[in-house]
Amino acid sequence: MISVIMSAYNAEKTVRRAAESILNGSYGDLELIIADDGSRDETYKILQQICAEDPRCICFRNETNKGLAFSLNRCLSFARGEFIARMDADDYSLPDRLKIQLDFLSRHREFGFVGSAAYLIDHNEIYGIRRFPARPSSADIIRHNPFIHPSTLFRCECFEKTNGYRDMPFTRRCEDYDLFFRLYAEAISGYNLPQPLLLYEENPYDT
């Protein structure tokens, strides 16, 4: 089984689409674990509706905004799968994403996790594609983050080896980069599939 972990904060406009892109995908042996990270809008109400509609969905709420690392670690505490997938509340997984990634990891034991290229979207419009090297090296990791975090599927031992995400002031907004650093330090490397398997929300004017 794959455990898909997601954190949502004030995501009432996008969280249902994100959740349904996972739940309606071609790979069905999964659970979707979603943390509402202290939202002030209708996010948690929508999550409760999704959970009522599909028993594979689990949700909980942080009383205050705790940040992504804290919320993802709480999600991991509920996870029962042999594999852990990431997803963001404003992104969209393509239907075969998890099936393709699981097939890759099943055939390539030398990799601990796998990501993919992604279509870049802004207000539901695709404006580009982001790709990183297929086999990032330790040298690549030192220079920049060569993985798209919400596109990744991990073997569960990746989180057992690293004790999950580090919830520290210096990792805020870069908890994924910190995780990849620590995985490579444990000689656990990742691979990037060349085909886009995710629609990744990013403002083209952000710098």
Side-chain angles (χ1 to χ4, degrees):
M1 178 172 34
I2 296 175
S3 297
V4 183
I5 59 174
M6 179 197 302
S7 177
Y9 178 64
N10 292 343
E12 63 182 8
K13 294 181 180 179
T14 60
V15 69
R16 175 173 283 277
R17 184 190 70 171
E20 289 180 346
S21 75
I22 292 292
L23 296 170
N24 297 334
S26 60
Y27 186 82
D29 186 16
L30 60 85
E31 59 182 2
L32 175 59
I33 306 167
I34 311 176
D36 173 18
D37 192 16
S39 295
R40 297 186 302 273
D41 62 4
E42 296 295 309
T43 296
Y44 190 57
K45 181 178 179 180
I46 295 168
L47 293 182
Q48 289 177 307
Q49 293 170 350
I50 296 169
C51 289
E53 295 162 4
D54 195 318
R56 296 173 299 167
C57 187
I58 301 164
C59 68
F60 60 88
R61 186 178 189 185
N62 299 331
E63 291 303 316
T64 59
N65 183 254
K66 296 288 190 179
L68 185 57
F70 179 93
S71 297
L72 293 181
N73 283 337
R74 281 199 70 188
C75 289
L76 287 170
S77 73
F78 289 95
R80 298 175 296 135
E82 299 173 73
F83 298 87
I84 307 292
R86 272 286 289 116
M87 183 63 186
D88 278 344
D90 58 352
D91 295 334
Y92 183 94
S93 277
L94 295 182
D96 292 331
R97 171 198 161 186
L98 295 179
K99 184 177 180 181
I100 290 169
Q101 291 181 309
L102 182 60
D103 178 67
F104 177 87
L105 288 182
S106 297
R107 292 185 289 107
H108 295 277
R109 292 292 310 177
E110 68 270 29
F111 295 106
F113 61 99
V114 61
S116 76
Y119 291 113
L120 303 177
I121 61 170
D122 181 48
H123 294 92
N124 297 319
E125 295 291 331
I126 295 174
Y127 68 87
I129 297 177
R130 178 166 297 151
R131 289 189 175 93
F132 287 117
R135 302 180 67 149
S137 66
S138 296
D140 292 321
I141 290 282
I142 291 170
R143 287 192 295 268
H144 63 92
N145 183 354
F147 297 100
I148 299 171
H149 191 204
S151 80
T152 45
L153 175 68
F154 300 85
R155 302 186 196 276
C156 64
E157 53 260 39
C158 290
F159 294 100
E160 294 168 359
K161 289 266 190 178
T162 58
N163 293 314
Y165 295 89
R166 283 201 289 193
D167 183 19
M168 306 285 286
F170 72 88
T171 63
R172 194 169 181 87
R173 298 185 66 84
C174 63
E175 58 284 316
D176 55 338
Y177 197 11
D178 175 72
L179 175 67
F180 299 136
F181 256 107
R182 291 184 292 126
L183 286 171
Y184 271 68
E186 294 282 349
I188 300 173
S189 60
Y191 189 91
N192 281 313
L193 296 171
Q195 65 265 52
L197 298 177
L198 183 79
L199 274 65
Y200 184 60
E201 181 74 30
E202 184 176 86
N203 188 324
Y205 303 106
D206 282 350
T207 57

